[in-house]
Amino acid sequence: MKKKQYDLNFKKMVVAKGKEIGNMTAVARQHELDPKMVLRWARELNRKDLDQLEGTSIKQAKFIPTAEDYAQLQKENEKLKKLYAEQALERDILKDLLKKTNPHLRIK
């Protein structure tokens, strides 16, 4: 069974009629549509700007990283590597100190 696609103007008209009478389910049945689909259309139309809507569905803008984004990620990565190395060094120092002060405790 092929999925039926509705254009944006039809969706707007159905949602507007549903808001006008205050009953989306009744309007959906009147147009022989699934009530859940009409409620979803209403949420989408309320949530998004109408300029961002396409006739069949909502398109989300793709994130395209820039050179600045890469540079920022590299700086953050270097900072995290240094922090990890410092913590590993501190942990090793504490293990050695614990072994020297308490030789009966064997830490692996």
Side-chain angles (χ1 to χ4, degrees):
M1 185 168 140
K2 189 174 181 184
K3 222 177 178 184
K4 191 168 184 181
Q5 294 183 347
Y6 300 95
D7 70 334
L8 182 59
N9 293 328
F10 178 73
K11 291 178 183 181
K12 286 181 186 177
M13 186 264 309
V14 170
V15 170
K17 195 182 285 188
K19 286 182 179 180
E20 183 181 315
I21 64 171
N23 192 348
M24 295 285 188
T25 306
V27 174
R29 288 187 183 137
Q30 198 175 37
H31 291 281
E32 297 177 359
L33 299 170
D34 183 21
K36 291 180 184 178
M37 182 170 60
V38 175
L39 291 170
R40 188 184 70 232
W41 290 351
R43 276 195 318 269
E44 289 174 354
L45 290 171
N46 284 336
R47 185 176 55 221
K48 299 290 181 180
D49 293 336
L50 295 180
D51 299 339
Q52 294 177 347
L53 290 175
E54 187 188 75
T56 57
S57 64
I58 294 177
K59 279 190 172 180
Q60 292 189 359
K62 284 187 175 180
F63 173 71
I64 301 172
T66 61
E68 292 175 3
D69 294 329
Y70 284 120
Q72 183 182 3
L73 286 173
Q74 284 177 336
K75 285 179 184 176
E76 185 178 355
N77 192 18
E78 290 300 318
K79 187 196 293 186
L80 291 172
K81 283 180 181 179
K82 287 178 184 176
L83 182 63
Y84 177 76
E86 288 174 5
Q87 289 178 348
L89 183 61
E90 284 179 19
R91 188 182 67 240
D92 290 340
I93 290 170
L94 290 173
K95 280 183 181 180
D96 289 341
L97 183 62
L98 189 58
K99 283 180 187 177
K100 288 179 184 175
T101 57
N102 297 320
H104 62 281
L105 293 177
R106 295 199 177 178
I107 299 174
K108 295 180 181 180

